[in-house]
Structures are given as C-alpha cells and as structure tokens.
Amino acid sequence: MTVADTATTALSQGWCALSLLHGRIEAHIERALQGGHDLSVREYSLLDVLSRQHTGHLRMQQVSDSVVLSQSATTRLVSRLEDRGLLNRFICDTDRRGIYTDVSEAGLELLAAARPTNDAALREALDEAARDPELAPLVAALENMHRTGPSLVAGAARAA
C-alpha cells in the first residue's frame, strides 16, 4: 500500500466516523424534537434558518441551499410547515417569479419552545459520542470550533 493509499484510507475512515457522528446526533435530536414538539430535524432547521435572517425571509432557492434539500423536497417541507401555520410564502413585489418564505409568529413561538429541547439533545448526543474512542476526536474538534467562536460556524454556513 502506498503513502497515497494510506492517506486516502485514513481520509475515508475519518469521513465514515464523521458520517456516523452526524447520523447519531441527528437521530437523537429527531427523537427529542418529535416527542416534545412534533417537529422533525429538517423542520426545526428550516424554522431556525429563517428566524436568523435579517430580512426575515428567504427565496425558495436559498431555503433549499440552507437546509441542503432538493427543490422538490424543500417545497414539500415548506408546504407542510405552511399548512401548520408555521411559515408564510409570498411572491416578491419586484420579481413575480420570486417566491419568498418567512416564519410566522406561531413558527417563532414553536421554535422558541423547541430550542432548549434541541440544545439539550445535541449536548446529550455529543456527550454520548465523546465516550466512543472513534468519535471522541471529532467531538473534541467540534467543541474546539465552538470555543473559537460562533462566527466561524456562521461564516461556514453562509459560504455553503
């Protein structure tokens, strides 16, 4: 095995560990949000992303990008939340082709109620993962990112 093969194998193993960590965290948060607030992780993420916009709304393409879903999956997600009264969709005044989405008051209230559940479930999942020798370095790296400042994470999210 060459040095390049060894590096690729190590990279692949790291990716598998990261994927495992993500899956475990997402499943833990999903159970907590569903049980406590009848929200999926994707629904919570969308409400959270929209609530943080300085304009208060996003175009549907921006919504797709921010929650990492296809256009059709995003449309279904937005429709579900709109049917529950948690989001509003409206047509742009200056470009009739543009459809925007924003969080309703009910959506903001549900998000505020769900945020502590999300945060606690995240903490629990990370604490559990930190006890796994394969995942502990990734948890430590995530904790270190948090200590270096939320601007790093926010900047990465904006760049994505």
Side-chain angles (χ1 to χ4, degrees), residues 135-151:
L135 301 177
L138 293 170
V139 174
L142 184 60
E143 297 281 358
N144 190 44
M145 278 179 54
H146 175 69
R147 281 191 287 281
T148 60
S151 61

Side-chain angles (χ1 to χ4, degrees), residues 36-48:
H37 307 281
D38 193 28
L39 274 177
S40 71
V41 169
R42 295 282 187 192
E43 292 167 339
Y44 176 88
S45 296
L46 177 54
L47 292 173
D48 185 54

Side-chain angles (χ1 to χ4, degrees), residues 87-130:
L87 293 182
N88 303 304
R89 273 191 277 196
F90 57 95
I91 296 175
C92 176
D93 292 334
T94 59
D95 179 0
R96 304 295 292 170
R97 297 169 297 166
I99 299 173
Y100 286 95
T101 304
D102 66 5
V103 183
S104 68
E105 280 302 313
L108 290 172
E109 289 171 13
L110 181 57
L111 180 62
R115 193 176 307 276
T117 302
N118 180 79
D119 294 349
L122 174 60
R123 180 76 269 155
E124 291 166 6
L126 287 171
D127 289 347
E128 183 178 318

Side-chain angles (χ1 to χ4, degrees), residues 37-67:
H37 307 281
D38 193 28
L39 274 177
S40 71
V41 169
R42 295 282 187 192
E43 292 167 339
Y44 176 88
S45 296
L46 177 54
L47 292 173
D48 185 54
V49 164
L50 289 171
S51 75
R52 295 174 190 272
Q53 299 307 305
H54 69 280
T55 60
H57 60 267
L58 287 176
R59 288 182 74 117
M60 288 296 287
Q61 180 60 49
Q62 293 169 305
V63 172
S64 291
D65 293 344
S66 67
V67 293

